[in-house]
Amino acid sequence: MASLHSTEPATGEHLWTGESGDPDAEIGRARAAWAGWAARPLAVRIETMRRFANVVRGQKEPFADLIARETGKPLWESATEVDAVVNKVDISVSAYSERTSQRRLEGALGARVAVRHKPHGVLAVLGPYNFPAHLPNGHIVPALLAGNAVVFKPSEKTPAVGERLVALFHEAGVPEDVLRCIQGGPEVGKALAAHPGLDGLLFTGSARAGLALHRQFADTPSKILALEMGGNNPLVIWDAPDIHAAAIIAVQSAFLSAGQRCTAARRLIVRDGQHQELLDTIVKLADRLIVDHPHANPAPFMGPVIDRDAADHLQEGFLSLLTRGGRPIKHLERSADDRPFLTPAIIDVTEVRDRPDAELFGPVLQVIRVPDFDSALAEANATRYGLAAALVGGSPELYDRFWANSRAGVINWNKPTNGAPSNAPFGGIGNSGNHRPSAYYAADYCAYPVTSSEAEQARAAIGVGLRDPRAANELEG
Ligand SMILES: NC(=O)C1=CN([C@@H]2O[C@H](COP(=O)(O)OP(=O)(O)OC[C@H]3O[C@@H](n4cnc5c(N)ncnc54)[C@H](O)[C@@H]3O)[C@@H](O)[C@H]2O)C=CC1
Ligand SMILES: O=C(O)CCC(=O)N[C@@H](CCC(=O)O)C(=O)O
């Protein structure tokens, strides 16, 4: 078994050591346990999830501290992630009852028709590092509520948070075998995905990995696969009456979580000739953002990116845009050689030919100047992804046009691209997802519907097509 380590991005200090797990053993344990969990009354599963919320609430500070240390995100932001974990429970209970509860319908000839939902069985959850608790939790809570057993593999970059999350569920009374934590990297993810004992896989992460999983599942349409992937999200600022407010929305969209959000704005699209004051204001704000250790005082706006490889990759991406004709507005700088602290960066890529449609998962905002709103719409949609898009400014009519013509699962007006609500569906089109949105609609992929026509007694008659109708009555007898 491979030995795994996790270190704090901000300090390089060692945080966690463990071993990569055995998919066969973990799926076997979950498989043996899931029927018992599914047979428990829904009220018991709801009560257990509510206990989990209380346990997390009671450990908010240490849990937020661990998230801050393992991801590098500021302590205040890590505390909001813990809040999201807690809030997920009530939201998922409502979603379960609204989207997958029992229903009775009138059938033909007075028959009773019941629609009920069943759990799939054993589901794997693969998590990303940027929200190591909230996003896997967004699959785990609805999956457990619906009666599935879960094998959760945290990102190899955030194993300690994943392990703690699972321990909190166990503390709340979820049986140990109903929710398993398995550590490891992509190889373990692949092995889980390929395991015949698995009934489905719920994934949040990069398009690269999501598309590989999609290929891997091509021969097993019987297994549910939910993919929540990345984005190359456009933010269009057009005729904004309040430049300062528009600039704040741009900064929040691009640089919150050091740009490590799937919903972060990657491309800022502005009207050519009327862009300078806006860009100057954005740069002034970005210059003032504090980039520091997650526990620093004063509190930073953003911490480091996850590790040095990610920082190297972002620097290479920025450099590549420069060499292809990008004009730097604010350089991507590394404030410490040995740690992955990056400053927010802005680059005008209007003149870059064949702009790469790639997700630069960090604090890099690309500016594109266009002459008119039609060109802004065309630029916004010039991506294989389709997660989030936002318009700042304009009129209700302009927003109607933006909404109608944008290809994305999240479309906002005068709000940042990020910060999507958990009590609504959340997912993308194109390379951002496979039409199985998460958040409120996670209930849909955690259970399947069963329609039953039911009667207390068998009563039937053949009304037409018999030679002797009396014989039909006798048969009915
Ligand atoms: N749409 C959404 O809801 C969200 C999407 N993301 C996306 O996630 C990415 C950042 O997270 P990362 O952890 O870097 O993603 P990643 O794709 O590298 O890893 C995600 C998980 O999949 C596993 N994995 C990687 N390759 C695999 C493979 N071929 N087969 C099976 N498992 C595999 C990893 O070990 C990890 O547990 C960004 O692209 C971001 O946009 C992040 C948060 C939310
Ligand atoms: O999953 C939910 O409960 C709602 C979606 C959500 O939390 N989105 C966040 C984070 C996702 C990310 O960007 O990685 C957001 O839109 O900021």
Side-chain angles (χ1 to χ4, degrees), residues 9 15 77 88 94 160 179 364 402 424:
L15 186 65
E77 195 189 345
K88 184 60 78 179
S94 301
L179 174 62
V364 177
F402 183 75

Side-chain angles (χ1 to χ4, degrees), residues 273-325:
Q274 291 183 7
H275 60 281
Q276 204 51 54
E277 187 188 352
L278 173 67
L279 291 187
D280 291 346
T281 313
I282 294 175
V283 170
K284 269 190 208 141
L285 277 171
D287 280 341
R288 285 172 54 205
L289 298 180
I290 301 173
V291 183
D292 206 344
H293 189 287
H295 295 80
N297 188 4
F301 178 85
M302 55 190 248
V305 295
I306 192 71
D307 56 24
R308 284 188 293 191
D309 285 350
D312 291 346
H313 176 71
L314 286 158
Q315 285 192 300
E316 281 158 23
F318 191 82
L319 202 62
S320 155
L321 290 173
L322 281 180
T323 53
R324 297 166 75 158

Side-chain angles (χ1 to χ4, degrees), residues 76-212:
W76 61 265
E77 195 189 345
S78 302
T80 64
E81 179 164 356
V82 179
D83 290 339
V85 169
V86 171
N87 296 338
K88 184 60 78 179
V89 169
D90 278 346
I91 288 170
S92 303
V93 171
S94 301
Y96 183 86
S97 108
E98 188 187 312
R99 300 198 58 86
T100 47
S101 63
Q102 298 188 18
R103 254 181 307 146
R104 289 211 175 281
L105 308 169
E106 280 303 313
L109 303 173
R112 194 175 66 191
V113 175
V115 180
R116 304 186 187 90
H117 291 78
K118 286 191 182 192
H120 297 285
V122 178
L123 299 178
V125 170
L126 302 183
Y129 67 77
N130 64 327
F131 279 88
H134 164 51
L135 290 173
N137 190 60
H139 296 302
I140 294 170
V141 169
L144 292 178
L145 265 180
N148 299 282
V150 172
V151 178
F152 165 43
K153 191 194 84 58
S155 163
E156 59 278 17
K157 296 177 180 177
T158 50
V161 173
E163 190 174 86
R164 180 75 60 88
L165 181 69
V166 170
L168 294 170
F169 275 104
H170 291 161
E171 199 177 313
V174 174
E176 294 216 344
D177 286 355
V178 166
L179 174 62
R180 304 298 305 155
C181 179
I182 178 168
Q183 300 288 2
E187 292 315 313
V188 173
K190 281 181 206 167
L192 280 173
H195 200 284
L198 202 71
D199 298 296
L201 189 145
L202 316 178
F203 169 83
T204 304
S206 63
R208 180 187 35 75
L211 296 178

Side-chain angles (χ1 to χ4, degrees), residues 46 148 159 180 187 204 222 262 272 276 306 331 380 402 414 422 432 451:
I46 292 177
N148 299 282
R180 304 298 305 155
E187 292 315 313
T204 304
S222 55
C262 55
D272 199 11
Q276 204 51 54
I306 192 71
H331 269 287
F402 183 75
N414 290 324
S422 292
S432 296
T451 299

